[in-house]
Amino acid sequence: ANAVYGILGRLSYRFSRIDLAATITGHGRAILTRAVNIVSSVNPLAKILYGHTDSLLVLFPEDTTATTG
């Protein structure tokens, strides 16, 4: 998707389509938001550190219920 967005979003490109580039970024934003919501619902203590395009960096709290022997 990044390569297609880059080509379509470049005004100097012969087949530039800003509307399609905006659609691609809109869908990417929606998918990233959904991923954040899923992580938050599965583990409310998780911290979202970073999210961009095709990645989501999440810090999960340590499991303090585990016992060591």
Side-chain angles (χ1 to χ4, degrees):
N2 283 345
V4 174
Y5 163 77
I7 290 172
L8 294 175
R10 186 170 176 92
L11 292 175
S12 62
Y13 181 62
R14 168 180 181 179
F15 302 109
S16 176
R17 288 286 306 268
I18 301 302
D19 57 327
L20 294 180
T23 299
I24 291 169
T25 57
H27 282 287
R29 191 177 318 106
I31 291 167
L32 191 57
T33 300
R34 184 169 181 231
V36 168
N37 292 337
I38 290 170
V39 168
S40 298
S41 68
V42 169
N43 189 335
L45 299 177
K47 290 185 179 181
I48 307 298
L49 301 178
Y50 177 82
H52 187 270
T53 311
D54 59 358
S55 63
L56 185 64
L57 181 59
V58 182
L59 176 64
F60 290 98
E62 290 186 38
D63 182 2
T64 57
T65 62
T67 58
T68 59

